[in-house]
Amino acid sequence: MKELIIYAKKGKMFFYGILCLIFIAIGIFLTAVSFSETGSDAFKFRVIGIICVLFFGLIMVYWVKSIIQRKPALIVSAEGILDQSTYIAAGLIKWEEISDIDFVELSGQTFLGIYTHDPDLIINRSSSFKSMLNKMNKGLLDTQVNIPVKILDCSMEELIETINYYFNDDVQEINENE
């Protein structure tokens, strides 16, 4: 079977960029309002505004970079699953490192959840900042890798079929070697 290369939906990419711009504008507005206020309210507005601008500004930079340097969000191949779908993407997860794959839900959003044999595999591979974000992510769900399904530009049937083809084949080989 041929590897499956999946890109992020362009519409979702632009939607997230617009959302970032809106929150950056709100942050700028709150910061501007803080200069006309006095006391603790001014300080609160200023802090919230600056945090909004910095946080969503960084996300905006990431999304712009993703749009300009368009690369696959997910590649499913004989080697494993290459996740590049989000900022804290796991990279290549080899089939022999995966213990289970399932769809999981959090706050009404469906994720392709990947469980690894080593629960800290992805955290240990990440840089310090991404490691911190992955630890927070792990606190939300039991899976080590969570790929948002709604951003993937492919049919779920094709994704499931390809994963099952490679994953089940690899599981059979591991069982035969034991």
Side-chain angles (χ1 to χ4, degrees), residues 11-24 60:
K12 290 282 182 190
M13 297 290 286
F14 287 113
F15 175 71
Y16 291 139
I18 290 169
L19 281 178
C20 285
L21 285 175
I22 290 170
F23 280 103
I24 290 169
M60 185 69 184

Side-chain angles (χ1 to χ4, degrees), residues 1 8 12-13 29 43 49-50 73 77 84 89 116 120 132 148 155:
M1 181 173 244
K12 290 282 182 190
M13 297 290 286
F29 174 75
F43 179 73
I50 290 170
S77 67
Q84 304 177 120
T116 58
D120 293 325
M132 179 190 70
S155 73

Side-chain angles (χ1 to χ4, degrees), residues 6 10 19 24 28 39 62 66 68-70 74 81 90 92-94 102 116 126 131 138 145-146 149 177:
I6 305 167
K10 285 183 181 178
L19 281 178
I24 290 169
I28 291 170
Y62 172 76
S66 297
I68 293 170
Q69 300 173 345
R70 194 152 191 254
L74 196 67
I81 298 175
L92 178 64
I93 309 123
K94 296 182 179 181
D102 199 3
T116 58
S126 305
S131 177
K138 189 177 175 188
V145 180
N146 300 299
V149 171
N177 292 335

Side-chain angles (χ1 to χ4, degrees), residues 38-162:
T38 58
S40 65
D41 286 342
F43 179 73
K44 289 177 191 175
F45 283 145
R46 195 168 298 141
V47 168
I48 292 170
I50 290 170
I51 289 172
C52 255
V53 169
L54 290 175
F55 181 75
F56 289 102
L58 288 173
I59 293 173
M60 185 69 184
V61 168
Y62 172 76
W63 283 110
V64 168
K65 183 180 170 188
S66 297
I67 289 172
I68 293 170
Q69 300 173 345
R70 194 152 191 254
K71 58 184 177 184
L74 196 67
I75 299 174
V76 182
S77 67
E79 192 175 2
I81 298 175
L82 177 62
D83 171 30
Q84 304 177 120
S85 60
T86 61
Y87 177 72
I88 59 170
L92 178 64
I93 309 123
K94 296 182 179 181
W95 293 116
E96 57 267 12
E97 298 170 329
I98 298 173
S99 63
D100 196 16
I101 300 172
D102 199 3
F103 287 100
V104 294
E105 288 216 16
L106 177 67
S107 302
Q109 186 173 349
T110 304
F111 295 88
L112 176 65
I114 300 174
Y115 299 86
T116 58
H117 296 292
D118 176 6
D120 293 325
L121 177 75
I122 306 307
I123 293 169
N124 294 338
R125 284 185 186 172
S126 305
S127 65
S128 58
F129 182 67
K130 287 185 181 182
S131 177
M132 179 190 70
L133 293 174
N134 276 313
K135 282 179 188 174
M136 290 171 35
N137 197 27
K138 189 177 175 188
L140 298 173
L141 292 166
D142 292 335
T143 52
Q144 284 71 48
V145 180
N146 300 299
I147 301 164
V149 171
K150 71 180 183 179
I151 69 163
L152 301 177
D153 196 10
C154 76
S155 73
M156 287 304 102
E157 293 79 24
E158 185 180 18
L159 177 61
I160 293 167
E161 181 183 315
T162 306

